[in-house]
Amino acid sequence: MAETEGMAPLLALTQGDPAGIGPDVTLAAFLRRRELDLPPFLFIGDPQVLAARARQLDMKVEIRPSNPDRARADFADALPVLAIPAGLDVVAGQPHKASAPATIKAIETAVSLCMAGDVGAVVTNPIAKSVLYEAGFGFPGHTEFLADLAAKATGKPVRPVMMLAGEKLKAVPLTIHIPLKDVPAAITHELIMETCRIIQNDLKDRFGLEAPRLAVSGLNPHAGEGGALGHEDGDVIAPALTALRAEGIDAFGPLPADTMFHDDARKRYDVAVCMYHDQALIPVKALDFDGAVNVTLGLPFVRTSPDHGTAFGIAGQGVAREDSLVAALKLAGRLRSKAGAA
């Protein structure tokens, strides 16, 4: 079904690990679609898993086989599904490596649809990296896999940047899933420059900020205390920020991380650029644990995801909250994709 001016884009929603809470929150979000004015989405995964989970949770949801042409119309009274069989009888809370190929194929399919302009954005339910690793998955996580798919589709190198976005704070970790002891060596002039350029471009082009303000944290306590507590802040971070400002990017710092996130401080910037994973994610989750969204910048398509994991321990129990998925769907609908929309 073609999209007309002012119409919300159709989204592709991947199943994530079928034994996790992805099916739970998908069903819950669908049931609230009218109340929350959600953009229509096409679920890519196993319809039998959804149907079984709906029965387990006593949710009355019609699961309907669909495709990008029909999904928008189907969404009015049924949850449209592009079927990818899970590969086994899935039990909530019991992950199995046999489901990994279907989990991977769902992501590949969503990206392919988005690059072809059949859907407007990709929203991903949580995966269990350990389960995928058992099946030979060769990427650290979702973000790197999506970047590889984008590079293959475009023939151009892709540098993804993870941003966590909540109502009160947007934050980017400069380094992500590496040991803390390796962070200082990983922070380079080039990495800071490249990351901040990508942030600048996407905040302007997709978030509509004419002149984004980037507050950049220091690495060490008190941003190094003039070199007394470490030299990286003065020797690496500060010169990179000077170079960025010369390019017209409003990046300032390095700032002591312990004073960056209170209410008044956050009014001074649009995004916080932090040196390592926890420096960025702790304040985002403290301020908006249920509503924060993972957004991948630097891709040729829009990708969002709930900012939580598979939560196997509560899958199928009716206690998983759909707030973060709802926020991810709404944000994807607002940002849409440069690659086209269905």
Side-chain angles (χ1 to χ4, degrees):
M1 181 177 178
E3 180 183 335
T4 59
E5 186 69 25
M7 184 182 289
L10 175 66
L11 310 177
L13 174 62
T14 65
Q15 70 173 3
D17 192 297
I21 62 170
D24 306 44
V25 296
T26 296
L27 291 162
F30 175 77
L31 286 173
R32 299 182 65 196
R33 66 195 183 285
R34 295 189 181 90
E35 167 199 349
L36 299 172
D37 194 24
L38 294 183
F41 57 83
L42 173 64
F43 183 84
I44 302 177
D46 194 329
Q48 299 304 317
V49 170
L50 275 181
R53 197 67 58 87
R55 290 191 297 270
Q56 185 172 350
L57 297 171
D58 195 26
M59 291 181 172
K60 303 295 188 289
V61 178
E62 180 184 347
I63 312 298
R64 183 177 298 169
S66 191
N67 60 43
D69 291 332
R70 301 198 311 266
R72 186 183 298 279
D74 289 336
F75 193 74
D77 54 8
L79 204 170
V81 179
L82 184 62
I84 295 179
L88 77 164
D89 291 330
V90 174
V91 178
Q94 297 182 25
H96 196 286
K97 68 178 181 180
S99 69
T103 299
I104 293 168
K105 186 176 179 182
I107 301 167
E108 293 172 336
T109 301
V111 171
S112 178
L113 291 174
C114 198
M115 292 300 296
D118 294 323
V119 298
V122 174
V123 181
T124 57
N125 266 310
I127 58 174
K129 292 186 283 290
S130 60
V131 175
L132 299 186
Y133 295 157
E134 285 188 67
F137 187 64
F139 299 90
H142 247 139
T143 301
E144 295 82 1
F145 184 40
L146 290 164
D148 183 71
L149 292 174
K152 289 175 179 175
T154 62
K156 300 176 182 178
V158 174
R159 164 79 164 83
V161 170
M162 183 174 82
M163 182 172 77
L164 285 302
E167 288 296 324
K168 296 182 178 179
L169 174 66
K170 294 180 180 69
V172 170
L174 190 71
T175 62
I176 308 177
H177 298 125
I178 63 173
L180 193 58
K181 65 181 178 60
D182 296 336
V183 168
I187 296 171
T188 64
H189 183 96
E190 293 74 18
L191 179 62
I192 296 168
M193 296 281 290
E194 186 178 14
T195 301
C196 288
R197 288 171 182 147
I198 291 169
I199 296 169
Q200 167 87 355
N201 288 338
D202 273 29
L203 288 186
K204 288 181 68 175
D205 293 349
R206 289 196 169 137
F207 285 79
L209 297 177
E210 186 175 338
R213 300 166 299 167
L214 283 59
V216 182
S217 76
L219 171 65
N220 298 294
H222 306 295
E225 196 73 75
L229 299 177
H231 294 279
E232 295 87 354
D233 306 274
D235 293 350
V236 180
I237 302 172
L241 301 186
T242 299
L244 285 165
R245 289 193 295 273
E247 294 182 3
I249 297 175
D250 185 6
F252 59 94
L255 305 173
D258 61 349
T259 57
M260 280 182 63
F261 302 109
H262 61 83
D263 291 347
D264 287 339
R266 296 197 311 274
K267 296 175 184 176
R268 298 177 55 209
Y269 59 82
D270 299 300
V271 62
V273 184
C274 303
M275 294 299 109
Y276 54 91
H277 182 277
D278 287 8
Q279 197 181 57
L281 271 67
I282 287 173
V284 170
K285 293 188 176 185
L287 289 166
D288 193 5
F289 185 80
D290 292 309
V293 175
N294 185 344
V295 187
T296 306
L297 309 180
L299 297 175
F301 55 87
V302 168
R303 179 264 179 154
T304 67
S305 182
D307 184 25
H308 58 65
T310 52
F312 293 122
I314 62 171
Q317 297 180 20
V319 296
R321 295 184 59 167
E322 68 274 16
D323 305 59
S324 189
L325 176 59
V326 165
L329 291 164
K330 286 190 169 186
L331 182 58
R334 291 198 300 271
L335 298 181
R336 35 189 318 144
S337 174
K338 292 178 180 177

